[in-house]
Amino acid sequence: VSLAQIEKWLQVNIATNRDEEEVIHDVEDVLDYVHITTIHRSKGLEYYTVLIPFTERIFTPPFSKIIFNKEKTKVGWLIQKQNAGMKSNAFYDELYQHENLEAIQEETRLLYVAMTRAKQQLIIHRNRKNDHYNWTWSRLLSAERGE
């Protein structure tokens, strides 16, 4: 099984399964298996080794989207088509900036949670494929080191 196959399986299950059963295991067997979990499920837990893959994924994918403000009094929209380019309304830029800032803050917090789960070893797979985008985990890690 490759990481890509595991990721695809997780995406399908996240999209379709709303109830998640807790894995039950003996404490003695903890070192004998690989535990694949989400960052949300790992809060408060520790693992000897933590592997963080897919750091090149952008926080806000460049797809068509609709954004509402908190009061639901403004709506911004962006439509992207391959041949027609992009079209948006007057509120989109304002609402996108606010949503993007919130996404960056949340993803930074999640990265911190993921990194602090490791007891002995932290392995981060840093693929710079999307480093031209402003906000990926890979770019957040680069910002710390001044790259």
Side-chain angles (χ1 to χ4, degrees):
V1 176
S2 70
L3 283 177
Q5 290 170 317
I6 293 169
E7 177 207 8
K8 186 172 184 170
W9 181 84
L10 286 171
Q11 284 179 344
V12 168
N13 279 287
I14 288 169
T16 59
N17 295 337
R18 295 295 177 205
D19 296 325
E20 200 171 318
E21 294 180 15
E22 189 67 37
V23 176
I24 299 171
H25 55 80
D26 292 333
V27 176
E28 298 167 4
D29 297 334
V30 170
L31 298 176
D32 294 338
Y33 68 92
V34 174
H35 189 95
I36 299 173
T37 186
T38 64
I39 296 168
H40 297 285
R41 300 277 296 165
S42 72
K43 289 180 190 170
L45 301 175
E46 288 184 319
Y47 304 93
Y48 287 97
T49 301
V50 171
L51 170 67
I52 302 176
F54 311 118
T55 60
E56 79 282 357
R57 297 228 171 119
I58 57 177
F59 299 159
T60 53
F63 300 121
S64 299
K65 62 170 58 178
I66 298 174
I67 306 170
F68 295 93
N69 66 349
K70 287 182 183 178
E71 298 80 27
K72 306 266 192 260
T73 57
K74 292 182 183 176
V75 62
W77 52 264
L78 173 76
I79 298 174
Q80 287 187 291
K81 293 186 178 180
Q82 282 184 331
N83 299 330
M86 297 185 334
K87 295 181 182 180
S88 64
N89 71 347
F91 295 121
Y92 180 77
D93 288 335
E94 170 192 343
L95 296 173
Y96 178 75
Q97 284 181 335
H98 179 72
E99 181 182 85
N100 198 38
L101 178 61
E102 286 183 359
I104 292 164
Q105 291 170 342
E106 175 66 8
E107 292 294 332
T108 303
R109 187 186 66 74
L110 287 173
L111 179 59
Y112 171 81
V113 168
M115 292 173 68
T116 57
R117 300 305 93 204
K119 283 183 178 180
Q120 293 182 355
Q121 190 175 37
L122 174 64
I123 302 167
I124 300 174
H125 181 255
R126 215 168 141 230
N127 183 344
R128 296 180 181 174
K129 177 178 86 175
N130 286 335
D131 267 2
H132 59 282
Y133 288 105
N134 286 335
W135 300 114
T136 64
W137 280 6
S138 180
R139 288 286 293 222
L140 285 176
L141 293 165
S142 296
E144 282 298 313
R145 295 194 331 221
E147 290 180 16

